Amino acid sequence: MSDRLAEELHVLARLPLQRDLSQLRAVIAVGRPAVVLVKAPLENLDFRLVRLCAAHRVDVLVLAHPGYGLLGSARPRRLGGLPWLRLRWPHQRTGMRAKRAVDVLLVLLSAPVLMPLVLVLCAAVCWDGPPLYFQTRVGRGGRLFRLVKIRTMRVGVERATGPTLTRPDAPGITSIGRVLRRYHLDELPQLWNVLRGEMSLVGPRPERPEFVSGFRRRLPLYDLRHLLCPGITGIAQLTNGYTAAVDDKLRCDLLYVSSRSLRMDLTLLALTVGDLMRGFPRD
């Protein structure tokens, strides 16, 4: 891909993307660059490169995908005629306490409205079994936690099918469960997980451990999404739906992990409220 970087910047070196970072390490040690520009999508980025640059206080900019600015929160920077996205990786605690405070505040403020709704929905589904369904998911740092949701499937379905990924035509969905899934009302009890600190309002969607081990083998950067608390909503859910391919989810999750901010969280929450009103035909 051609660029005009030399017209705007002093380019120390152009290096191929390789697993051996010795060339990049030598350039950083001798040239002391201010920034490293990576012509690769987020899902192909080697996290060792990011850690190397962070250790030497070198900014990392990755070539921005046209969809990265879709939500109005990730602002690409143009250099050499190309759009670049500056990465912010969550090994630093900057903003994490503010994010947690906003989560708790919004849950408490919404509780007087949402708690009666949850009770009504539980009463509507309890005629054929328990209203709540608990499921083990993988959270921050790879730790397991019990996610709670309103039951949308017939009791005992998974004993016959085993663990399955969410899909719109999954066997065993009840009639009311189909409506709950369309508007994602079955996710409301997860506000309890948010209060417990196991989840956030916004973040990568938590997956089941039965699937995570396979995802890790196939996608080397998959564990980067576990650097943050998983969320009830996020970029992947809003742009691709809950049933999107794991590669598409990972691309969106890496975008969030690398460019998250309080402004982005509030934007995603506002978009989520709008989608809740319309329903989620993508699923």
Side-chain angles (χ1 to χ4, degrees):
M1 183 181 297
S2 61
D3 60 61
R4 302 190 303 275
L5 290 173
E7 299 176 11
E8 302 179 29
L9 302 171
H10 174 50
V11 179
L12 292 175
R14 292 178 180 264
L15 306 175
L17 279 174
Q18 298 177 336
R19 293 194 60 80
D20 181 7
L21 299 177
S22 57
Q23 290 179 292
L24 176 61
R25 190 175 288 108
V27 170
I28 291 177
V30 176
R32 302 291 181 183
V35 63
V36 168
L37 304 176
V38 182
K39 285 187 175 180
L42 282 167
E43 62 270 25
N44 293 336
L45 186 62
D46 190 333
F47 190 52
R48 295 176 306 151
L49 180 151
V50 179
R51 286 188 296 186
L52 173 63
C53 292
H56 291 84
R57 300 182 181 277
V58 178
D59 284 341
V60 177
L61 275 67
V62 66
L63 196 61
H65 185 276
Y68 290 174
L70 178 65
L71 300 174
S73 298
R75 296 181 175 179
R77 176 183 175 187
R78 295 200 71 84
L79 291 171
L82 298 174
W84 304 87
L85 186 69
R86 181 176 180 270
L87 302 188
R88 294 179 63 247
W89 295 95
H91 57 278
Q92 300 172 343
R93 299 185 62 84
T94 306
M96 297 303 292
R97 290 176 182 167
K99 179 179 175 66
R100 174 66 180 155
V102 170
D103 281 345
V104 173
L105 178 63
L106 291 179
V107 170
L108 294 178
L109 289 176
S110 62
V113 175
L114 296 181
M115 280 305 299
L117 176 59
V118 171
L119 293 175
V120 169
L121 295 175
C122 287
V125 302
C126 70
W127 62 273
D128 66 341
L132 297 179
Y133 181 68
F134 295 88
Q135 199 174 68
T136 301
R137 298 290 181 103
V138 179
R140 185 178 181 186
R143 293 184 291 272
L144 302 181
F145 71 98
R146 294 188 75 202
L147 176 145
V148 58
K149 59 198 308 184
I150 297 176
R151 182 176 55 83
T152 59
M153 307 282 286
R154 293 195 304 270
V155 175
V157 167
E158 277 204 345
R159 284 199 292 269
T161 64
T164 57
L165 291 170
T166 301
R167 64 180 202 268
D169 59 343
I173 300 178
T174 63
S175 55
I176 188 171
R178 202 172 301 277
V179 175
L180 294 178
R181 285 193 178 192
R182 175 177 173 81
Y183 293 94
H184 290 288
L185 296 174
D186 58 318
E187 312 288 349
L188 287 178
Q190 287 160 40
L191 296 175
W192 174 245
N193 292 115
V194 175
L195 282 179
R196 287 172 55 87
E198 298 163 333
M199 293 182 67
S200 176
L201 291 176
V202 180
R205 188 69 186 157
E207 292 287 359
R208 302 178 66 173
E210 294 89 347
F211 305 124
V212 166
S213 57
F215 295 157
R216 282 170 171 158
R217 288 193 297 269
R218 186 160 65 88
L219 302 166
L221 293 184
Y222 189 80
D223 265 329
L224 291 182
R225 68 197 304 278
H226 295 143
L227 292 172
L228 293 176
C229 274
I232 297 178
T233 188
I235 297 177
Q237 297 91 306
L238 287 167
T239 57
N240 295 309
Y242 285 77
T243 58
V246 63
D247 306 71
D248 293 329
K249 287 182 181 178
L250 180 60
R251 186 179 299 110
C252 293
D253 291 340
L254 292 178
L255 171 61
Y256 178 75
V257 169
S258 63
S259 59
R260 78 202 187 284
S261 66
L262 181 58
R263 180 174 178 267
M264 174 178 277
D265 279 6
L266 295 176
T267 300
L268 293 169
L269 287 172
L271 290 171
T272 299
V273 171
D275 271 1
L276 286 173
M277 300 300 180
R278 294 189 295 268
F280 286 72
R282 292 185 297 274
D283 288 2

